[in-house]
Amino acid sequence: MSARTARTRLLAATTVALAALALTACDNGKGVRDEGPSAASHSSSQPTGSTAAGGTKAKPAGETGGSTAAPKSTTTPGTTTAGTSGGSGSSGKNGSGTSATRNPACNGANTKTTATEVSRPLNHLLLTVTNTGAKNCDLTGYPIARFGEAQSVPPVAESTHPQAVVTLAPGESGYAGVLLSAADGSGGNGYTAKTLVVGFAKGSSATPALPAKGVYVDDKLTVTYWQQSLDDALAY
């Protein structure tokens, strides 16, 4: 081999070695050439359309910035919704805050009172109060009955309390029953009374006549509340 040929081969080998070294310098050591950040990784590092700078979620087109607006109220301040009173505060009949006017009380001045013995139930007296006035009156409570010279009045049977106030129109009547004495004779301190005074809750009293022979009463003497019905008065 001539010297010229040897130099040519040596030059070629040197060139190949230099090219290999250049390629190695561009290699990342794993057989993959490093050409800088890829397009995909570069795009993922940038904010997308779903988020805005600072981590705030971007709004779709057509929406305004900020949080979702609260539903607007359908009422204005200082008013109440339909169906509520809102401020009249009325409790009376006419809405002015006062209770409805009551009728005048029935008493001896605007009524007539009678006392009648009845056959059934035994030992009972029926008191009847008739409105003789020109206006309605309320017959409240029970008769405050004083027989003869008695120093006390009989108790009322609480079980006879009516559900509503007894109101008498002109000419109408209300009633109360009186148990005069025990039907089985078990009562004590009996006597015969020939006079009766009936007091009312308000106003003057009445003095209905008793039978001429009088009525026998004992310590079982009891009255009912005033009733709208005669049957209710005699049910006790």
Side-chain angles (χ1 to χ4, degrees):
M1 177 182 299
S2 64
R4 182 178 182 180
T5 302
R7 287 195 299 271
T8 300
R9 289 181 176 180
L10 180 60
L11 180 60
T14 302
T15 302
V16 171
L18 291 174
L21 289 173
L23 290 174
T24 303
C26 295
D27 199 302
N28 61 5
K30 297 181 181 180
V32 179
R33 191 173 183 179
D34 190 357
E35 295 181 354
S38 64
S41 63
H42 177 75
S43 63
S44 64
S45 66
Q46 300 297 323
T48 64
S50 63
T51 59
T56 304
K57 186 175 181 180
K59 300 296 180 181
E63 289 189 12
T64 60
S67 59
T68 304
K72 292 184 178 180
S73 173
T74 57
T75 60
T76 58
T79 61
T80 56
T81 56
T84 59
S85 165
S88 66
S90 61
S91 59
K93 181 178 179 181
N94 57 9
S96 63
T98 59
S99 59
T101 302
R102 298 184 62 175
N103 295 315
C106 298
N107 55 55
N110 56 9
T111 64
K112 178 182 179 180
T113 304
T114 60
T116 307
E117 278 190 293
V118 295
S119 57
R120 291 289 186 275
L122 293 175
N123 303 338
H124 274 66
L125 189 73
L126 176 67
L127 299 179
T128 303
V129 174
T130 304
N131 184 354
T132 57
K135 298 179 180 179
N136 290 358
C137 67
D138 289 341
L139 187 58
T140 59
Y142 55 90
I144 304 169
R146 189 179 300 278
F147 286 86
E149 301 299 323
Q151 299 300 308
S152 61
V153 296
V156 63
E158 290 296 339
S159 61
T160 65
H161 199 293
Q163 296 298 315
V165 174
V166 177
T167 299
L168 304 181
E172 287 188 336
S173 298
Y175 309 90
V178 181
L179 172 62
L180 297 171
S181 59
D184 59 3
S186 60
N189 303 314
Y191 64 95
T192 298
K194 293 188 175 182
T195 61
L196 171 63
V197 177
V198 176
F200 296 88
K202 293 181 180 180
S204 59
S205 59
T207 55
L210 292 176
K213 63 180 180 61
V215 293
Y216 180 81
V217 298
D218 61 21
D219 55 14
K220 298 297 184 181
L221 182 65
T222 308
V223 300
T224 70
Y225 282 93
W226 293 113
Q227 308 290 329
Q228 198 84 54
S229 162
L230 183 152
D231 292 337
D232 290 340
L234 295 178
Y236 175 74

